[in-house]
Amino acid sequence: MCTQAITILDGAMGTMLQRAGLKLGDRPETLSITAPETVESIQRQYVLAGTQLLLTNTFCANAHKLRGTGYDTESVIAASVSVARRACAGTQAKVALDIGPIGEILEPLGTLKFEEAYMLFAQMIRAGAQAGVDAIFFETFSDLGELRAGVLAAKELTDLPVYASMTFEQSGRTFLGVRAECAAMSLTAL
């Protein structure tokens, strides 16, 4: 009989922040600096509900997505990790750096070079490691190449556990056509 440990994650952050007053066009990640009590309250609710691995409010905290906000990756990630740590206080819950897609498609379908994606992810991972996260969590990717750039950066720059997830259509493939089996084999090799 095969047994596997189950880790309970938190829930949606974006929709909870919208309910708390996030305005259309605002960057949710910057709320860890401008409204940390709001982010902490939401995260604490998840921790009290049984979350074992709390994701930081950093889904789009890459330099590309933060451009024009007046905030940089390092300050947003440091603030977000601090907020998440406070939300986990007094519990066994761990904090994972949440990393989502960059927002550009990799070459040859798009214009983003693999090396550029790697550097954007590396900046986030260094900031998260410096802030003291317990793990790296990549989520909601549809481009295996982009996710590979992130996982490679995480494995080369830290000894932290790395989680990776992708989104799949009803066809069993990602938006860009990758099957789950292929994604699993490729990512496991990293």
Side-chain angles (χ1 to χ4, degrees):
M1 182 170 138
C2 179
T3 60
Q4 296 179 342
I6 295 173
T7 301
I8 299 172
L9 301 176
D10 57 7
M13 187 57 141
T15 53
M16 292 295 283
L17 288 171
Q18 288 170 353
R19 287 183 189 154
L22 177 68
K23 293 174 181 57
L24 186 63
D26 285 350
R27 282 269 158 239
E29 296 77 15
T30 63
L31 292 178
S32 293
I33 295 173
T34 63
E37 64 286 341
T38 301
V39 176
E40 183 180 344
S41 173
I42 293 166
Q43 290 182 322
R44 185 66 179 177
Q45 290 175 56
Y46 284 129
V47 170
L48 293 176
T51 295
Q52 296 168 306
L53 187 62
L54 182 68
L55 303 182
T56 56
N57 181 35
T58 55
F59 183 76
C60 289
N62 65 66
H64 174 73
K65 287 282 195 168
L66 289 174
R67 191 174 299 131
T69 65
Y71 298 99
D72 62 40
T73 296
E74 290 80 7
S75 61
V76 169
I77 288 177
S80 296
V81 172
S82 178
V83 169
R85 285 271 175 234
R86 287 194 305 271
C88 291
T91 73
Q92 297 293 316
K94 303 292 185 195
V95 174
L97 178 67
D98 188 27
I99 301 177
I102 293 168
E104 296 290 328
I105 297 176
L106 286 183
E107 292 179 334
L109 299 176
T111 58
L112 183 66
K113 295 180 182 337
F114 183 89
E115 297 79 13
E116 292 170 328
Y118 178 96
M119 295 307 292
L120 288 166
F121 290 130
Q123 182 182 19
M124 293 180 74
I125 291 161
R126 282 188 191 104
Q130 185 173 6
V133 296
D134 301 304
I136 310 292
F137 196 98
F138 295 94
E139 67 165 321
T140 322
F141 281 76
S142 60
D143 183 345
L144 179 58
E146 181 183 16
L147 183 52
R148 287 181 65 241
V151 171
L152 186 61
K155 297 307 286 179
E156 288 182 350
L157 298 173
T158 74
D159 291 329
L160 295 170
V162 175
Y163 298 82
S165 71
M166 299 188 78
T167 58
F168 294 89
E169 308 281 324
Q170 287 208 334
S171 66
R173 295 177 182 267
T174 68
F175 175 72
L176 294 177
V178 176
R179 291 181 305 138
E181 300 85 359
C182 294
M185 286 184 354
S186 179
L187 294 168
T188 300
L190 293 176

